[in-house]
DNA sequence: CTTATGACTTTCA
DNA sequence: CTGAAAGCCATAA
């Protein structure tokens, strides 16, 4: 299985109302150091995959949204998260999430 | 094979 | 927690 598919598969496992970090997904994918690749994979996801993949539940280690994608801005991601009951804090142009409260505890 | 790139992470200050 | 610098990995060209 490609990392691409593997990563997507794992992201789909993230329960509603929870968030996961890129590094966490990288570990589950078998490559603890491939966090960057996780971000790259989500960025390259196709439209169809985005429909069934909760990419918005994936944030960096600091609980901050790091997307630079024009199509999926941090504002939109934050909106989706709020929609799922996740409290998102907005501070000086950046969105923060309380990982200690919403971080997905694997399985 | 080598170089460049990125939705990251860790370490140091 | 923030910010800067260096490290890591898979993919594309």
């Amino acid at each position: 299985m490609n990392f691409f598919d593997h990563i997507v598969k794992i992201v789909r496992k993230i329960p509603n109302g929870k968030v996961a970090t890129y590094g966490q997904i990288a570990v589950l994918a078998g490559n603890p150091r491939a966090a960057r690749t996780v971000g790259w994979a989500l960025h390259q996801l196709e439209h169809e995959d985005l429909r069934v993949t909760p990419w918005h539940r994936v944030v960096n280690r600091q609980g901050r949204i790091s997307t630079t994608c024009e199509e999926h801005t941090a504002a939109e991601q934050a909106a989706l998260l709020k929609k799922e009951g996740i409290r998102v804090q907005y501070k000086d142009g950046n969105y923060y999430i309380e990982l200690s409260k919403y971080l997905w505890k694997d399985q």
Side-chain angles (χ1 to χ4, degrees), chain A residues 82-98:
Chain A
K82 290 180 182 177
K83 214 170 183 178
E84 298 186 348
I86 297 177
R87 189 157 65 91
V88 182
Q89 296 178 42
Y90 181 73
K91 182 180 180 182
D92 191 47
N94 291 319
Y95 292 88
Y96 294 87
I97 298 171
E98 293 181 49

Side-chain angles (χ1 to χ4, degrees), chain A residues 27-91:
Chain A
V27 173
L28 295 177
N31 296 286
R33 310 298 178 192
R36 303 195 66 160
T37 305
V38 174
W40 175 87
L42 293 180
H43 181 66
Q44 293 298 316
L45 274 182
E46 295 180 12
H47 227 59
E48 305 166 12
D49 292 325
L50 286 175
R51 234 184 293 177
V52 295
T53 306
W55 58 272
H56 51 277
R57 295 182 193 150
V58 185
V59 296
N60 63 17
R61 207 75 174 75
Q62 305 178 326
R64 182 167 28 175
I65 298 173
S66 307
T67 180
T68 60
C69 189
E70 299 288 337
E71 303 298 322
H72 313 102
T73 64
E76 289 188 32
Q77 182 169 357
L80 290 172
L81 291 173
K82 290 180 182 177
K83 214 170 183 178
E84 298 186 348
I86 297 177
R87 189 157 65 91
V88 182
Q89 296 178 42
Y90 181 73
K91 182 180 180 182

